Amino acid sequence: MTPTLIWILVALVAIGLYLSWTAGRLDRLHARIDATRAGLDAQLLRRASVAQELATAGVLDPAASIVLYEAAHAARQAEEEQREVAESDLSQALRAVFAEPAQVEAVREAPGGEAAAHELTEAVRRVPMARRFHNDAVGAARRLRQHRKVRWFRLAGHAPFPMAFEMDDEPPAALIDRAA
């Protein structure tokens, strides 16, 4: 074997190892996206469940209960392609119902209201964090998938292109101010 052939073989092995490492990294990013999406789904479901429970508890006025219940129900039943809109609608309903600190105080004064308000506060605080974690993972995978080496060698396989979850997740100010 000539030295040139040995160097070509070493270069091919090095390129193969590098491509394998990149494919593994991309696979880990896709697994991270799946995990963060599951976490986001859990937090969204928790927020909708707490809102629905609060709406049916009888501590809110009837109009606020209906608005909150319908938005929470729509968020829980939404199909995947309509999920972002339904979750944004729930965020808007929460802000409308809990726009005034007096409404939060009324909930807290009801029997079991302190625990319900605390649970809702925690739920609305965790949704933006879970969404940020998910979107950060999506951004990292997208950046890696845009590299030429990933496209040319089809290192992503048949995995779908990752999509960020965009929604209005601003919490009601009255809930957050009271908790702080």
Side-chain angles (χ1 to χ4, degrees), residues 36-37 39-41 43-44 125-136:
T36 58
R37 181 58 190 243
L40 175 61
D41 287 343
Q43 293 305 322
L44 291 171
R125 284 178 134 182
R126 289 181 177 159
V127 167
M129 288 188 292
R131 189 176 74 85
R132 195 171 314 120
F133 291 148
H134 174 70
N135 288 348
D136 287 348

Side-chain angles (χ1 to χ4, degrees), residues 107-131:
V107 169
R108 288 183 189 281
E109 290 170 2
E114 186 69 37
H118 177 70
E119 195 172 349
L120 182 62
T121 300
E122 289 302 311
V124 298
R125 284 178 134 182
R126 289 181 177 159
V127 167
M129 288 188 292
R131 189 176 74 85

Side-chain angles (χ1 to χ4, degrees), residues 52-152:
Q52 206 169 18
E53 184 180 310
L54 192 60
T56 58
V59 296
L60 300 172
D61 63 270
S65 291
I66 290 171
V67 167
L68 194 57
Y69 181 83
E70 287 180 355
H73 181 71
R76 289 183 72 174
Q77 300 298 319
E79 295 293 327
E80 189 60 36
E81 52 274 353
Q82 296 297 319
R83 185 99 188 262
E84 293 172 351
V85 174
E87 294 295 346
S88 294
D89 290 345
L90 178 56
S91 294
Q92 292 168 1
L94 284 167
R95 282 197 307 273
V97 169
F98 295 107
E100 299 297 323
Q103 184 74 14
V104 177
E105 288 304 318
V107 169
R108 288 183 189 281
E109 290 170 2
E114 186 69 37
H118 177 70
E119 195 172 349
L120 182 62
T121 300
E122 289 302 311
V124 298
R125 284 178 134 182
R126 289 181 177 159
V127 167
M129 288 188 292
R131 189 176 74 85
R132 195 171 314 120
F133 291 148
H134 174 70
N135 288 348
D136 287 348
V138 166
R142 282 180 159 188
R143 284 188 296 277
L144 184 57
R145 285 182 71 152
Q146 289 173 347
H147 287 219
R148 273 179 268 172
K149 65 181 175 252
V150 173
R151 288 192 323 261
W152 288 351

